[in-house]
Amino acid sequence: MKLSEGVEQAIHSVAMLASLEADQVLSAAALAEFHGVSPSYLLKHLQALSRSGILGTVPGPKGGYHLAQTPEDISLLDVVLAVEGPEPAFRCKEIRRNGPNPVPEGFFKAPCQINAAMLRAERSYRAELRKVTIAHLLAEVREDDDGTLAARSCAFLDANVRISNQSRQH
Amino acid sequence: MKLSEGVEQAIHSVAMLASLEADQVLSAAALAEFHGVSPSYLLKHLQALSRSGILGTVPGPKGGYHLAQTPEDISLLDVVLAVEGPEPAFRCKEIRRNGPNPVPEGFFKAPCQINAAMLRAERSYRAELRKVTIAHLLAEVREDDDGTLAARSCAFLDANVRISNQSRQH
DNA sequence: GCGCAAGTACTCGGATATAGAGTGTCCGAGTGGACCGGG
DNA sequence: CCCGGTCCACTCGGACACTCTATATCCGAGTACTTGCGC
């Protein structure tokens, strides 16, 4: 029961991308350097986010990534599922049908009680993540910020933002 | 984000152990055969449950495992944490302090907003698991059972239960 | 001088190596019962 | 026949291999800019 490190990188990257204007993009290399992580590894997760429709890409020089949805529409759950995959954490192997005296087939119509309880808990987990959007996170950060964090982000954006001459698409 | 297979084995084993009387024990080998899983691997998790105080052990021949708490006091969360470990699934690496322009130290007094949101979700997950006890699970199973499952368990218990001459302890 | 075309540099994308944890196995410490010998 | 001691078989316990996924990396496809040539 542990989440990939890529989840944290992905969330930070999405939050950063949420700060730029329309028709602006950031390269994966810039995001990786800013966060001090492996460029290739971050790229892998950015691609997953792109496949999930959270990010859009602009190929070629001066290309990069941008949000494909508004920050209000992207929840933490969307990002986590894009990176970790959609399958639930608890996968019932139905070991009741193993062994010398397996449970008869008829009982498999209803899901195992244990599986049901575990999935209930995971639904609760996902519901909590669904409530939090990228917009919420940014608002919280701004609330506690005296300007230092904003200045840091702006400096990075000024140095690395690129204006794509393609209209925003996904 | 995925749970070990041992979690399922552990929960089924605890549920089985909940069905036996005081001063009765079951060997790890019997539980493994009944569930059709690797004896050595199940043993590993039973030991973890023992270290966590959920199970008690009786060494020597005619020894085995028994519950160290009542089924009403053992929640699914207890079992999951014993097998998977207590640390949360999302471990914030604070990548904000990485890179060429790290966030100043002062901001680390408060936890990262992202970390806070992820931990909130996990608290919800754990709360849901805490609500479900082994006693609840057994009651649910009995409710849907026409006698087949009960007969299966009884047959196994009759063949494998051992009466320990030690008083129940942990 | 202007337009066009080829070359180039930089981007994302997927296929490919490596490391760590989950999975599976083995051997050792300890204990209760069984057996054997003595009383 | 009864009792004590020794041996043995079976248990849990922790230390040791193996496998698979998460991690980290590299090379290939595609595109916009640059540069050179022709008109």
Side-chain angles (χ1 to χ4, degrees), chain A residues 81-148:
Chain A
L81 290 188
V83 173
E84 289 285 319
E87 65 278 357
F90 184 80
R91 297 142 303 164
C92 185
K93 286 288 199 311
E94 283 292 1
I95 62 175
R96 297 181 296 169
R97 63 197 327 172
N98 291 351
N101 184 16
V103 168
E105 281 297 325
F107 285 91
F108 291 106
K109 284 177 291 196
C112 170
Q113 314 286 355
I114 294 173
N115 194 22
M118 298 298 290
L119 291 183
R120 253 197 325 272
E122 188 156 0
R123 267 200 296 276
S124 172
Y125 177 78
R126 295 191 176 194
E128 202 69 27
L129 285 186
R130 208 190 319 271
K131 281 192 228 165
V132 183
T133 68
I134 299 299
H136 288 148
L137 280 181
L138 291 177
E140 283 182 9
V141 169
R142 269 195 292 269
E143 202 167 316
D144 295 349
D145 184 21
D146 60 358
T148 309

Side-chain angles (χ1 to χ4, degrees), chain B residues 12-32:
Chain B
H12 276 279
S13 297
V14 170
M16 177 63 74
L17 289 171
S19 300
L20 43 76
E21 308 287 327
D23 292 341
Q24 292 183 335
V25 297
L26 278 174
S27 75
L31 283 168

Side-chain angles (χ1 to χ4, degrees), chain B residues 38-50:
Chain B
S38 160
S40 311
Y41 189 45
L42 178 61
L43 191 54
K44 185 192 191 89
H45 297 307
L46 292 177
Q47 289 169 12
L49 292 169
S50 171

